[in-house]
Amino acid sequence: MPPHSLLQLIWLASPALPVGGFSYSEGLEAAIEWAGVQDEATASDWLVGQLHLSLAPGDLAVVAEANRAWRAMDRARVRALNAWVLTTRESAEFLLQTEQMGRSFVEWLKLHHADAATCFDGMPATYPVAFAFAAARSGASVADGCLAFAFGWAENMTAAAVKAVPLGQSAGQRMLARLAQDIPAAVQDALARTDDTRQAFSPLLAILSAWHETQYSRLFRS
């Protein structure tokens, strides 16, 4: 991979990217109260399960397809994928998250790509579709773009677990190492998904996200 492409992916995966990913726990905070997540082992198991059962067949698969569509400048395909994300959010919180992060990402993209405003004109971008735009412009492969997306998610979720369980930094690093080992397989799963096999059906996660809306007390927006 060219150095420029590698640096772009590192940048995109960074929790410092100003899109607000650090403010979401994606149901994890509710799982700590109601679903038995209480220590490093249970938090690690939860996130690995979420990676394979929710992220890979859903948003990660969208990142792969949207990356291909952006490369071909197939805007009809991009809009269809974006609409799929919006219509498959299973709670108000998850919808808020993908809309807010997508909107913030587009504002960041406008600083770096002269045509970003035109490309997203009239489309309320979701986070996976906005990320795919940046990954496509990086020059890296579709698979490497997916790896960056998944690792960025893993860093944010591990940080959420460290704060909310709570856990120590060493536990967080062990959890992140375990997720990093599983991410390549999750990416291969995502790359193999088609429109017929892509899915966003995680009933317990959706229930916990809905409960989180009135949880007392909470640190995260979702």
Side-chain angles (χ1 to χ4, degrees):
M1 187 189 306
H4 172 76
S5 297
L6 176 58
L7 289 171
Q8 285 293 307
L9 292 187
I10 292 172
W11 195 356
L12 294 177
S14 171
L17 200 71
V19 296
F22 64 88
S23 61
Y24 298 98
S25 71
E26 299 189 14
L28 176 63
E29 190 170 29
I32 292 167
E33 182 163 349
W34 292 299
V37 175
Q38 58 187 350
D39 53 24
E40 178 185 343
T42 51
S44 184
D45 288 345
W46 179 272
L47 293 182
V48 169
Q50 188 172 346
L51 170 67
H52 291 293
L53 299 175
S54 179
L55 190 76
D59 283 5
L60 195 55
V62 170
V63 171
E65 281 300 305
N67 190 324
R68 298 183 184 107
W70 281 122
R71 288 168 186 258
M73 288 307 292
D74 185 346
R75 297 188 182 182
R77 176 65 169 162
V78 168
R79 288 180 181 273
L81 290 164
N82 195 69
W84 185 89
V85 176
L86 289 172
T87 56
T88 55
R89 299 304 88 171
E90 294 185 293
S91 73
E93 283 194 340
F94 284 149
L95 180 60
L96 170 68
Q97 178 182 354
T98 199
E99 288 178 330
Q100 180 273 303
M101 292 182 66
R103 184 169 58 251
S104 298
F105 210 124
V106 170
E107 291 305 310
W108 180 83
L109 288 170
K110 290 176 182 177
L111 301 176
H112 303 280
H113 300 281
D115 62 340
T118 300
C119 289
F120 288 96
D121 184 41
M123 181 176 67
T126 60
Y127 176 56
V129 170
F131 185 98
F133 178 94
R137 294 297 178 89
S138 73
S141 69
V142 173
D144 286 339
C146 289
L147 288 169
F149 181 88
F151 190 77
W153 171 87
E155 280 202 294
N156 281 325
M157 294 303 295
T158 299
V162 167
K163 293 174 185 175
V165 172
L167 300 169
Q169 292 298 322
S170 294
Q173 289 299 301
R174 288 191 294 268
M175 290 170 59
L176 190 58
R178 182 181 173 191
L179 284 165
Q181 288 181 332
D182 275 55
I183 282 173
V187 167
Q188 289 306 308
D189 178 13
L191 292 171
R193 297 276 173 167
T194 66
D195 288 348
D196 292 331
T197 59
R198 186 175 63 249
Q199 62 90 15
F201 181 65
S202 305
L204 178 57
L205 192 62
I207 291 169
L208 290 170
S209 176
W211 285 353
H212 183 262
E213 294 174 18
T214 57
Q215 183 175 352
Y216 176 86
S217 65
R218 63 185 198 176
L219 299 173
F220 298 94
R221 296 181 69 182
S222 80

